[in-house]
């Protein structure tokens, strides 16, 4: 049965690991070669790719995907892209925790 893999940076990888998702960490310099390796391994049915590492993962993987149906390449916004320029990640996390447990927390 094909598995799912997330290709992302080390900062974001921790959250996916805590959720039980298989993760491969990469940098902007190594992401394309990591993506190529994941595609050629034939072990994955879905590869979610951080757009902060590979800006257009579908187009970047076209050459490697020739003749293959799997994996499905799923672009996902990077953490910085999700909050936008100047976004406040701490405030976002604080709101999430407050809605989940009903208490405010102090993030340092």
């Amino acid at each position: 049965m094909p598995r799912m893999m997330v290709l992302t940076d080390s900062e974001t990888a921790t959250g996916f690991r805590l959720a039980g998702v298989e993760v491969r960490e990469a940098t902007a310099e190594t992401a394309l070669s990591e993506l190529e390796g994941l595609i050629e391994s034939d072990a994955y049915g879905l590869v979610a790719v951080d757009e902060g590492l590979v800006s257009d993962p579908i187009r970047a993987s076209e050459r490697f995907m020739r003749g293959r149906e799997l994996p499905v390449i799923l672009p996902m916004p990077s953490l910085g892209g999700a909050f936008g320029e100047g976004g406040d990640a701490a405030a976002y996390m604080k709101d999430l925790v407050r809605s989940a447990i009903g208490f405010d927390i102090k993030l340092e």
Side-chain angles (χ1 to χ4, degrees):
M1 181 171 150
R3 303 181 319 222
M4 176 184 170
M5 171 66 74
V6 174
L7 180 63
T8 189
D9 60 21
S10 60
E11 182 178 289
T12 310
T14 303
F16 283 106
R17 282 193 184 103
L18 287 171
V21 177
E22 194 173 351
V23 176
R24 177 83 48 95
E25 292 181 27
T27 63
E29 293 79 29
T30 63
L32 196 53
S33 63
E34 290 284 346
L35 179 58
E36 178 182 4
L38 293 171
I39 291 169
E40 291 178 351
S41 74
D42 291 326
Y44 302 100
L46 176 68
V47 176
V49 182
D50 187 328
E51 290 180 316
L53 299 177
V54 180
S55 62
D56 187 357
I58 294 172
R59 178 163 290 180
S61 63
E62 283 177 347
R63 183 171 51 98
F64 314 127
M65 289 294 295
R66 253 186 220 126
R68 299 176 190 265
E69 293 181 17
L70 293 177
V72 172
I73 305 299
L74 176 67
M76 62 178 195
S78 65
L79 188 59
F83 295 112
E85 198 63 34
D88 188 358
Y92 176 75
M93 295 303 293
K94 189 175 178 179
D95 289 341
L96 280 178
V97 170
R98 183 177 45 240
S99 68
I101 65 172
F103 291 98
D104 283 329
I105 60 169
K106 182 178 180 182
L107 298 172
E108 293 181 25

